[in-house]
Amino acid sequence: MPLPVPVLPDGVDPAWLPEEAFRPVGGRRVLIRGSGPLVETVHGEVAEACARFGGALAEDDPELVLEATGDDGSEAFTLGRRDGRTTVTASGGRGLLYGFFHVVRLGEAAFQGERRAEEHRPASALRMLDHWDNVAVHPVMGQVERGYAGGSLFWADGRARGELERVRAYGRLLAACGINAVAVNNVNVHETEARLLTDRIGEVADIAAALRPYGIRTQLSVTFAAPIVLGGLETADPLDDSVRRWWAGATARVYEAIPDFGGYVVKADSEGQPGPFAYGRTHADGANMLAGALAPHGGTVHWRAFVYDHRQDWRDRTTDRARAAYDHFVPLDGRFAPNAVLQVKHGPMDFQVREPVSPLIGAMPHTALAVELQATQEYTGQQRHVCWLGPMWSEVLRFGPAAGRGFEELVAVSNVGDDPFWTGHPLAQANLYTFGRLAWRPDADPGAILDEWIGLTFGADGPAKELHAVLDGSWRTYEKYTAPLGVGFMVQPGHHYGPSVDGYEYSPWGTYHFADRDGVGVDRSSATGTGYAGQYATPWAETYESPGTCPDELLLFFHHVPYGHVLKSGRTVIQHIYDTHFEGVAEVEAAMAVWASLKGRVEPARHARVAERYEEQLRCAREWRDQVNSYFFRKSGVPDERGRTVY
Amino acid sequence: MPLPVPVLPDGVDPAWLPEEAFRPVGGRRVLIRGSGPLVETVHGEVAEACARFGGALAEDDPELVLEATGDDGSEAFTLGRRDGRTTVTASGGRGLLYGFFHVVRLGEAAFQGERRAEEHRPASALRMLDHWDNVAVHPVMGQVERGYAGGSLFWADGRARGELERVRAYGRLLAACGINAVAVNNVNVHETEARLLTDRIGEVADIAAALRPYGIRTQLSVTFAAPIVLGGLETADPLDDSVRRWWAGATARVYEAIPDFGGYVVKADSEGQPGPFAYGRTHADGANMLAGALAPHGGTVHWRAFVYDHRQDWRDRTTDRARAAYDHFVPLDGRFAPNAVLQVKHGPMDFQVREPVSPLIGAMPHTALAVELQATQEYTGQQRHVCWLGPMWSEVLRFGPAAGRGFEELVAVSNVGDDPFWTGHPLAQANLYTFGRLAWRPDADPGAILDEWIGLTFGADGPAKELHAVLDGSWRTYEKYTAPLGVGFMVQPGHHYGPSVDGYEYSPWGTYHFADRDGVGVDRSSATGTGYAGQYATPWAETYESPGTCPDELLLFFHHVPYGHVLKSGRTVIQHIYDTHFEGVAEVEAAMAVWASLKGRVEPARHARVAERYEEQLRCAREWRDQVNSYFFRKSGVPDERGRTVY
């Protein structure tokens, strides 16, 4: 039985799955072989496409053959074309579904010439989105913590929304870019959300059922204190037998409700969340206890490495937040269970526009690692600014140690909500798509992924060149007009939107730039600083150790230098600050003009939404420029060489 | 019929009306003469005191005679003592009530020796507390905007609390310090609160009934947009006939419910509130329209002068928020109706720990003025810090122009909530008491008022000397460890608690210090600055114009000076910053030690609450010291002469 393709509610943007994208497949004679639920999904997709574009499901003389030879869980598929017939073969329904969407992505090219059989296989077995969605509206963080795309797709005002057709459509979008897991609630697990694990698991099961036909497994963020909060025990000590029994029982009941449940995501001993430290246990003890409960059912625990002192005294220069994840976790390498995955933010701080790659990646050879990216643009313009993160993520994934030995999984914090464009800013869809594709193949060229997204989303005859120009450099543009040279955190406290150069300077969060009248930056060298640079392997430890070899874009992350310090670019630090801030705003103006010129060539609602967001981006970019330039002019006293206005 | 004295709920602090305070009256033979509702209140007070302490109401040979010769509205009374008999005479019940509480205040001294008849008469006919209480919890501002004493006494979660016995007890406390009016809702009038004027006036009437026996008239904050919001009109234009009719009708209905209703308080065209500007009308047009509606009933409109551009561009140095009230209102002098009172904040900015006195006071000889003080400690430690504002208020009230020609009324933003100590910090009760007493007599010695409060609250044998020491200098201590030399606004944005030197520096609120590597302060001179100094009359305009004559404590309010500028004190500005910040913290430590030494000598719950708050005050004072010192050291590069630790 073919599974019907989900119907989008009126007015919801089809993103990278517009009807037109199915024309090349839909106009053809298609043969489907195999059985199993995901084959039925493919069947439904093909039937819908053919009904729309005149093709047919046909045994005879097919132009496209989609064949699942069995029903295993493999995600690989083989694509080839010979004698006028395109063939996708997979050993199970999952692979077939990915193969089908690959043919959609190729479009007419999939049906032209000959194509040697090529195997496609994801580099990473788990490609997960973490939704920081709250079930109940949080008094400070709202429905979606760090959400810039409306409400949650899953929850509203304390309850499941029950709009499962939209959830199913969401699963389809995700499958079409390669994502195969979703954690449905915020890693900060509040009171209401805790109960999803137990008496409210049915609500999660409904979501899981909606996502399952598109090969997506559901995960749950849980609180480490669940045995106390939900189970009425007096302890959550991971080595306590009653605690272990409680988790085993709770987990078994989860699997009764959701047989293919993916596992747990845990933020423990982090920013106020409970964890094993309270019982004198290690994070390995904590993670392994949950891994033990999940193992009989084939589940995995994702244990976040985002552990640091968030009540630091700003006067204390001996503590360096950047060191924290490495210091906490590297001594535990080899002590995590096989189904415990350490989920590491890509940088040592917190999703700034520029950070070095976390030294943890590459430093724990005996531990399964997931790298966590942030699709939701908390620090990168909050989906009011265009900031396509493909190049940043690609740099992270190709970085020395990471590229060498790899990591097991890729995770991103979701940027999706109930917004008609899914992501608030229509162009932020590109981040979601790029994440899925990079998770499948981390060494892919991000520019090619961007073009893929543009082609699918805006059609084969869309303004590809202009869209590429608008998006491709947008991350570097954002970097230019915000915090310079890797220094980070010059944002408004709390909501993290817009500039506040000293906003986190005297805070307990471990986020400082130490700007004074002579210079700026954090000395993280081993010789004279916090020693963070020494957490890297050769050659990176040496490269970062000295201002002479440290890359310009990370200079202030690793070193405190005078304003007159000359960068590799030949400019002084202070002149670099002025120049990049003027350039960044000019680049926004230019991109905005390009977008304006596209009126009439892109769908009107999409054009209007982006145009409106550009107004805000430009306003905000100017605010960044002027505040940052003024701040450093007032501190340094050095005028701009080119005499531009610094207030 | 004597009116029973209100009963305090268990655990609520009696503040300056403990039972013991009534012993001198209560043990005596008392004769009451006169009639009317407030005489009945006095009657109840005396009956209760005598019942407790063994005295009696007696015709024969009274030791205390309380006589109302009529029933007019006068608040004056005459007190004398001759031949062993103390006599209070008034022309009506109000005056008699104040006279009674005056006798309580005097205690045994009222019954000793001879006392020539002396008349007491308030300098100001209206002595009002404005409650910034919301009926419904505001998502950002909560139940009480800028409230630091728990919830509202009047409202909770969208409804009247109905705890009218507590409201009556509150009225009694206020009468005992001389306050005679209360505005029961926030000047920012949100949707729910707007309706108090119309269909919810009954809830206000209940409060008015509870306060009435203690001579307190009730007022209401109303929204200028009421004709639209509540009346369904299309305009709120003050010159529109339908608008005038609507207000006349609504006001008549208010007086049906509350015959002695005091009037309206209005915040118009201020921080986003609606006002006459939208219709091209003046504030006089707006105020007079409401005055017209109130006049037939004997009511008054209090029209706030807190009008400025709160969306200023920080880059714009030509706009000076300090000028705004004067610029807006002085041209309207003489155009306000007799029952329209212009309510002017005491300083030109917003209740900072140090501001010059508003130049509006004294500049509108043909307009009735009310001076607005802030008992709630928004910018002065939020009732977690001891900061007795008596000396500051006294300076304001004695200031040249003000002292010369005076103002008609005194208003304070209330610092009271449903906290068992009324004011969160038990010592913050002193601010409320002092306000009432200064409103009665603005030229009173604040130190004597403080001693009065101590004597009443802690008893005749309480640790008066220590308490005086703890409170008397607390405002100057607070000033020392916070923003220096009148510069203001170095607070955390939004909630305004704790330091953030640049927190309002690049904001739209018109609140800047312009600190750079060379100096700090705002040039408000006429010669080279914003011209604000020129808004003052002689000699103040001249005094403030030059850094050489400007008082040290206001130097940075009026002038931008180098860090090396030598103050009248002989210290440089930068050294003054360091010195005062170290001194301020040391003074907190000393006061805290004094308080600790009082354990066992003050009521335990009160001692514990204050001790706990001192912990927070000290922590916060150190934070202020270190952030301010670090900030200016980083900017100036000048080390502390005495080599103390600056981070």
Side-chain angles (χ1 to χ4, degrees):
Chain A
M1 285 290 292
L3 183 77
V5 172
V7 179
L8 280 181
D10 277 352
V12 172
D13 189 78
W16 52 88
L17 288 183
E19 288 173 3
E20 271 303 301
F22 293 86
R23 182 182 291 277
V25 168
R28 289 188 155 82
R29 298 166 60 81
V30 185
L31 173 60
I32 301 175
R33 284 203 185 116
S35 63
L38 269 68
V39 175
E40 299 311 321
T41 301
V42 173
H43 196 156
E45 289 283 343
V46 170
E48 165 92 5
C50 289
R52 176 161 289 121
F53 294 107
L57 285 157
E59 287 285 333
D60 298 341
D61 197 24
E63 296 163 273
L64 172 62
V65 176
L66 299 164
E67 180 172 19
T69 59
D71 195 16
D72 67 11
S74 166
E75 295 180 305
F77 63 88
T78 301
L79 171 72
R81 180 172 169 84
R82 207 175 140 184
D83 301 333
R85 177 175 298 170
T86 301
T87 306
V88 175
T89 320
S91 60
R94 285 170 184 269
L96 196 70
L97 182 69
Y98 290 120
F100 168 74
F101 279 123
H102 192 67
V103 171
V104 172
R105 202 147 47 219
L106 291 172
E108 276 303 328
F111 300 99
Q112 284 160 6
E114 297 278 295
R115 184 180 284 265
R116 220 171 39 170
E118 57 196 22
E119 198 196 31
H120 294 254
R121 179 182 293 280
S124 168
L126 186 122
R127 307 171 301 279
M128 179 158 70
L129 280 182
D130 282 1
H131 276 257
W132 285 356
D133 296 12
N134 298 315
V135 176
V137 175
H138 185 273
V140 176
M141 292 303 178
Q143 189 80 61
V144 182
E145 180 159 339
R146 313 306 180 188
Y148 315 106
S152 166
L153 283 176
F154 306 131
W155 318 103
D157 298 328
R159 277 186 290 276
R161 291 180 71 130
E163 295 175 18
L164 296 172
E165 189 73 357
R166 176 101 194 251
V167 173
R168 210 156 69 82
Y170 178 48
R172 182 173 180 247
L173 264 189
L174 299 187
C177 70
I179 290 163
N180 69 356
V182 164
V184 297
N185 66 306
N186 190 357
V187 290
N188 293 314
V189 181
H190 310 293
E191 200 182 331
T192 303
E193 291 73 12
R195 293 174 48 211
L196 295 178
L197 176 65
T198 52
D199 56 313
R200 296 185 64 168
I201 190 69
E203 296 170 54
V204 182
D206 291 343
I207 295 168
L211 294 172
R212 186 174 294 118
Y214 285 96
I216 292 166
R217 287 173 83 180
T218 297
Q219 308 234 357
L220 202 58
S221 295
V222 297
T223 170
F224 195 77
I228 300 169
V229 178
L230 301 169
L233 303 190
E234 294 195 348
T235 178
D237 181 349
L239 302 192
D240 182 283
D241 276 344
S242 65
V243 170
R244 289 168 169 273
R245 274 196 304 276
W246 188 87
W247 276 109
T251 304
R253 284 185 292 277
V254 168
Y255 276 90
E256 280 168 25
I258 310 170
D260 62 344
F261 181 69
Y264 299 139
V265 178
V266 186
K267 176 176 180 177
D269 289 319
S270 170
E271 297 181 337
Q273 295 291 310
F277 284 168
Y279 307 99
R281 310 304 182 188
T282 70
H283 278 256
D285 294 333
N288 293 345
M289 183 265 293
L290 293 175
L294 288 158
H297 312 283
T300 302
V301 59
H302 284 81
W303 190 268
R304 292 177 88 233
F306 187 54
V307 176
Y308 70 99
D309 179 1
H310 69 291
R311 293 189 178 163
Q312 186 178 333
D313 191 329
W314 60 270
R315 304 164 187 84
D316 165 22
R317 297 244 184 155
T318 65
T319 302
D320 179 6
R321 170 170 167 178
R323 293 185 56 114
Y326 185 104
D327 286 345
H328 277 297
F329 286 96
V330 168
L332 300 177
D333 188 33
R335 291 174 53 192
F336 286 92
N339 65 329
V341 178
L342 194 62
Q343 186 165 317
V344 186
K345 291 197 185 197
H346 68 79
M349 297 296 282
D350 192 15
F351 300 137
Q352 301 303 291
V353 68
R354 176 73 73 171
E355 295 186 38
V357 176
S358 170
L360 208 54
I361 303 170
M364 297 188 70
H366 307 296
T367 306
L369 288 193
V371 173
E372 184 178 305
L373 309 172
Q374 195 185 43
T376 195
Q377 293 170 235
E378 178 177 359
Y379 293 98
T380 50
Q382 302 197 349
Q383 285 140 257
R384 290 188 254 181
H385 299 219
V386 183
C387 185
W388 176 58
L389 296 165
M392 175 167 94
W393 292 342
S394 181
E395 282 185 20
V396 169
L397 300 175
R398 290 164 187 243
F399 180 78
R405 57 166 292 279
F407 39 85
E408 281 65 22
E409 303 178 352
L410 221 63
V411 175
V413 184
S414 170
N415 62 349
V416 171
D418 67 358
D419 173 68
F421 294 98
W422 301 92
T423 52
H425 200 307
L427 301 183
Q429 293 171 3
N431 283 327
L432 185 59
Y433 184 86
T434 301
F435 165 70
R437 298 289 287 142
L438 279 177
W440 184 282
R441 203 182 139 190
D443 64 349
D445 168 22
I449 294 175
L450 177 60
D451 288 335
E452 237 176 60
W453 175 78
I454 292 171
L456 283 167
T457 305
F458 293 86
D461 54 352
K465 206 176 104 241
E466 292 86 345
L467 288 162
H468 189 99
V470 154
L471 282 155
D472 194 30
S474 59
W475 166 54
R476 287 197 166 76
T477 297
Y478 188 85
E479 182 182 27
K480 281 182 175 182
Y481 64 74
T482 59
L485 298 164
V487 79
F489 274 106
M490 292 178 169
V491 291
Q492 293 275 345
H495 58 68
H496 299 166
Y497 185 78
S500 178
V501 179
D502 269 3
Y504 276 96
E505 187 59 14
Y506 301 94
S507 83
W509 297 94
T511 47
Y512 315 115
H513 54 63
F514 302 126
D516 62 18
R517 73 198 320 258
D518 302 315
V520 55
V522 188
D523 184 353
R524 292 190 163 104
S525 70
S526 295
T528 56
T530 70
Y532 168 77
Q535 291 186 337
Y536 287 87
T538 297
W540 298 105
E542 295 75 16
T543 301
Y544 292 145
E545 177 67 17
S546 149
T549 52
C550 182
D552 279 355
E553 68 269 15
L554 289 170
L555 183 68
L556 301 183
F557 192 92
F558 283 101
H559 298 283
H560 187 91
V561 299
Y563 293 115
H565 176 91
V566 179
L567 296 167
K568 292 183 183 55
S569 68
R571 291 191 286 206
T572 61
V573 165
I574 187 70
Q575 193 57 40
H576 172 95
I577 292 173
Y578 298 146
D579 287 350
T580 51
H581 283 78
F582 285 109
E583 286 161 23
V585 172
E587 287 169 15
V588 173
E589 288 166 337
M592 195 170 163
V594 171
W595 184 262
S597 77
L598 300 184
K599 194 162 182 178
R601 295 183 66 195
V602 304
E603 198 270 316
R606 200 181 266 165
H607 190 275
R609 175 72 76 91
V610 173
E612 165 208 313
R613 303 236 156 179
Y614 261 124
E615 298 283 346
E616 166 57 16
Q617 181 175 0
L618 181 59
R619 183 205 65 76
C620 190
R622 287 176 174 155
E623 197 62 33
W624 271 100
R625 175 193 66 194
D626 293 337
Q627 287 199 30
V628 170
N629 284 350
S630 278
Y631 180 96
F632 285 104
F633 174 64
R634 288 190 189 180
K635 275 229 154 109
S636 71
V638 180
D640 172 39
E641 277 174 6
R642 296 173 52 189
R644 292 162 293 195
T645 303
V646 175
Y647 295 90
Chain B
M1 284 287 295
L3 183 77
V5 172
V7 180
L8 277 183
D10 277 353
V12 172
D13 190 78
W16 52 90
L17 289 182
E19 288 174 3
E20 273 302 302
F22 293 86
R23 182 183 293 277
V25 169
R28 289 189 155 82
R29 297 168 59 81
V30 184
L31 172 61
I32 301 176
R33 284 204 186 119
S35 63
L38 268 67
V39 175
E40 299 311 321
T41 301
V42 174
H43 195 158
E45 289 283 344
V46 171
E48 165 92 5
C50 290
R52 175 162 288 123
F53 295 107
L57 283 158
E59 288 284 334
D60 297 341
D61 197 24
E63 297 164 272
L64 173 62
V65 176
L66 299 164
E67 178 171 21
T69 57
D71 194 16
D72 68 11
S74 167
E75 296 180 305
F77 62 91
T78 302
L79 171 73
R81 180 172 169 82
R82 206 174 142 184
D83 303 333
R85 179 175 298 172
T86 302
T87 305
V88 175
T89 320
S91 59
R94 286 171 183 269
L96 196 68
L97 181 70
Y98 290 120
F100 168 74
F101 280 124
H102 192 67
V103 171
V104 172
R105 203 149 44 221
L106 291 172
E108 277 303 330
F111 300 98
Q112 284 159 8
E114 298 278 294
R115 184 180 285 266
R116 215 169 43 165
E118 57 197 22
E119 196 195 33
H120 295 255
R121 180 183 293 279
S124 170
L126 186 122
R127 308 173 297 280
M128 178 158 70
L129 279 183
D130 282 1
H131 277 258
W132 286 356
D133 296 13
N134 298 314
V135 177
V137 175
H138 185 272
V140 175
M141 293 302 178
Q143 189 81 60
V144 182
E145 181 158 341
R146 312 306 177 189
Y148 316 105
S152 166
L153 283 176
F154 306 131
W155 318 103
D157 299 329
R159 277 187 289 275
R161 290 179 72 131
E163 294 174 21
L164 295 172
E165 189 72 358
R166 177 100 194 252
V167 173
R168 209 157 68 87
Y170 178 49
R172 181 173 182 247
L173 264 188
L174 298 187
C177 69
I179 291 164
N180 69 355
V182 164
V184 296
N185 65 306
N186 190 356
V187 289
N188 291 314
V189 181
H190 310 293
E191 200 182 331
T192 303
E193 292 73 14
R195 292 175 48 211
L196 295 178
L197 176 64
T198 52
D199 56 314
R200 297 185 63 170
I201 190 68
E203 296 169 54
V204 182
D206 290 343
I207 295 168
L211 295 173
R212 185 174 295 117
Y214 285 96
I216 292 166
R217 286 174 83 181
T218 298
Q219 308 235 356
L220 201 57
S221 295
V222 297
T223 170
F224 194 79
I228 299 170
V229 178
L230 302 168
L233 303 191
E234 293 194 346
T235 178
D237 182 348
L239 300 193
D240 182 285
D241 275 345
S242 64
V243 169
R244 289 170 169 272
R245 275 197 303 275
W246 187 87
W247 276 109
T251 304
R253 284 185 292 276
V254 168
Y255 277 89
E256 280 167 26
I258 310 169
D260 63 345
F261 180 69
Y264 300 139
V265 179
V266 187
K267 176 177 180 178
D269 289 319
S270 170
E271 298 182 337
Q273 295 291 312
F277 284 167
Y279 308 99
R281 310 303 183 190
T282 70
H283 279 254
D285 293 333
N288 291 347
M289 184 264 294
L290 293 174
L294 288 158
H297 312 282
T300 302
V301 59
H302 284 82
W303 190 269
R304 292 177 90 234
F306 186 53
V307 177
Y308 70 100
D309 178 3
H310 70 290
R311 293 191 178 159
Q312 185 178 334
D313 190 328
W314 59 269
R315 302 165 187 84
D316 165 23
R317 298 240 184 157
T318 65
T319 302
D320 179 6
R321 170 170 167 178
R323 293 185 56 114
Y326 185 103
D327 286 345
H328 278 296
F329 287 96
V330 169
L332 300 176
D333 188 34
R335 292 175 53 193
F336 285 92
N339 65 327
V341 178
L342 194 62
Q343 185 164 316
V344 185
K345 291 197 183 196
H346 68 80
M349 297 297 281
D350 191 15
F351 300 135
Q352 301 303 292
V353 69
R354 176 73 72 172
E355 295 186 39
V357 175
S358 170
L360 208 54
I361 304 170
M364 298 187 69
H366 307 295
T367 306
L369 288 193
V371 173
E372 183 179 305
L373 308 172
Q374 194 185 43
T376 195
Q377 293 170 235
E378 176 177 359
Y379 294 97
T380 50
Q382 302 197 350
Q383 284 139 257
R384 291 188 254 182
H385 299 220
V386 183
C387 186
W388 176 58
L389 296 165
M392 175 166 95
W393 293 340
S394 181
E395 282 185 19
V396 169
L397 301 175
R398 290 164 186 243
F399 179 77
R405 56 167 291 281
F407 37 86
E408 281 66 23
E409 304 180 351
L410 221 60
V411 176
V413 184
S414 169
N415 62 349
V416 171
D418 67 359
D419 175 67
F421 295 98
W422 302 92
T423 52
H425 199 307
L427 301 184
Q429 293 171 4
N431 283 326
L432 185 58
Y433 184 86
T434 302
F435 164 71
R437 298 289 288 142
L438 279 178
W440 184 282
R441 203 183 139 190
D443 64 349
D445 169 20
I449 295 175
L450 176 62
D451 288 335
E452 234 177 61
W453 175 78
I454 291 171
L456 283 168
T457 305
F458 293 87
D461 53 353
K465 207 177 103 240
E466 292 86 346
L467 287 162
H468 189 100
V470 154
L471 281 154
D472 193 29
S474 59
W475 165 56
R476 288 199 165 73
T477 297
Y478 188 85
E479 181 182 28
K480 281 183 176 182
Y481 62 75
T482 59
L485 298 165
V487 78
F489 273 106
M490 292 179 169
V491 292
Q492 293 276 345
H495 58 68
H496 300 166
Y497 185 77
S500 178
V501 179
D502 269 2
Y504 276 97
E505 187 59 14
Y506 301 94
S507 82
W509 297 95
T511 47
Y512 316 114
H513 54 63
F514 303 125
D516 63 18
R517 74 197 320 256
D518 303 314
V520 57
V522 187
D523 184 353
R524 292 190 162 106
S525 69
S526 296
T528 57
T530 70
Y532 168 76
Q535 291 187 338
Y536 287 87
T538 296
W540 298 106
E542 295 74 17
T543 301
Y544 293 146
E545 176 68 16
S546 148
T549 51
C550 182
D552 280 354
E553 68 269 18
L554 289 170
L555 183 67
L556 302 184
F557 192 92
F558 283 100
H559 299 283
H560 186 92
V561 299
Y563 293 115
H565 175 91
V566 179
L567 296 168
K568 293 184 182 51
S569 68
R571 293 191 285 205
T572 60
V573 165
I574 186 72
Q575 193 58 40
H576 172 94
I577 292 173
Y578 297 146
D579 286 351
T580 51
H581 283 78
F582 284 109
E583 286 162 25
V585 172
E587 287 169 17
V588 173
E589 287 166 338
M592 195 170 163
V594 171
W595 185 261
S597 77
L598 300 184
K599 195 164 183 176
R601 295 182 66 196
V602 305
E603 197 271 316
R606 201 181 264 167
H607 191 273
R609 174 73 76 91
V610 173
E612 166 208 312
R613 303 235 158 180
Y614 261 125
E615 298 282 346
E616 167 56 19
Q617 181 175 0
L618 181 58
R619 184 206 64 75
C620 190
R622 287 176 173 156
E623 197 61 33
W624 271 100
R625 175 193 67 193
D626 293 338
Q627 286 198 30
V628 171
N629 284 349
S630 278
Y631 180 96
F632 285 104
F633 174 64
R634 288 189 190 181
K635 275 229 155 108
S636 71
V638 180
D640 173 38
E641 276 173 7
R642 296 173 51 190
R644 292 161 294 194
T645 302
V646 176
Y647 295 90

